[in-house]
Amino acid sequence: MALQSLQINAVTAMRARDVSRPTREQRESADRRPLRDEAPPKEAPRKETPRKEAPRRG
């Protein structure tokens, strides 16, 4: 409901447009990467969690 009263002026709109536009380096690196369906599936990394010892009573 609070967003209904939000007013966007020209400066805010221009800043939002500039922020959302990727840089040339970002576009070039995206062009070099294979698309998701072209890349081989990755194996999920296995996390080895050390077992905690129970506190010793005595």
Side-chain angles (χ1 to χ4, degrees):
M1 293 295 174
L3 293 178
Q4 291 176 348
S5 63
L6 179 67
Q7 298 211 358
I8 298 176
N9 58 20
V11 174
T12 306
M14 294 297 283
R15 285 182 183 164
R17 188 188 72 176
D18 291 341
V19 168
S20 65
R21 184 178 300 166
T23 63
R24 181 175 10 142
E25 292 84 15
Q26 290 171 328
R27 288 193 305 265
E28 289 172 355
S29 67
D31 288 341
R32 287 192 298 269
R33 274 180 279 160
L35 297 176
R36 185 180 300 166
D37 60 347
E38 295 174 346
K42 294 181 182 177
E43 281 191 33
R46 294 184 181 194
K47 294 183 180 177
E48 302 243 354
T49 56
R51 293 185 181 180
K52 294 183 180 178
E53 293 185 24
R56 296 184 183 181
R57 296 182 186 174

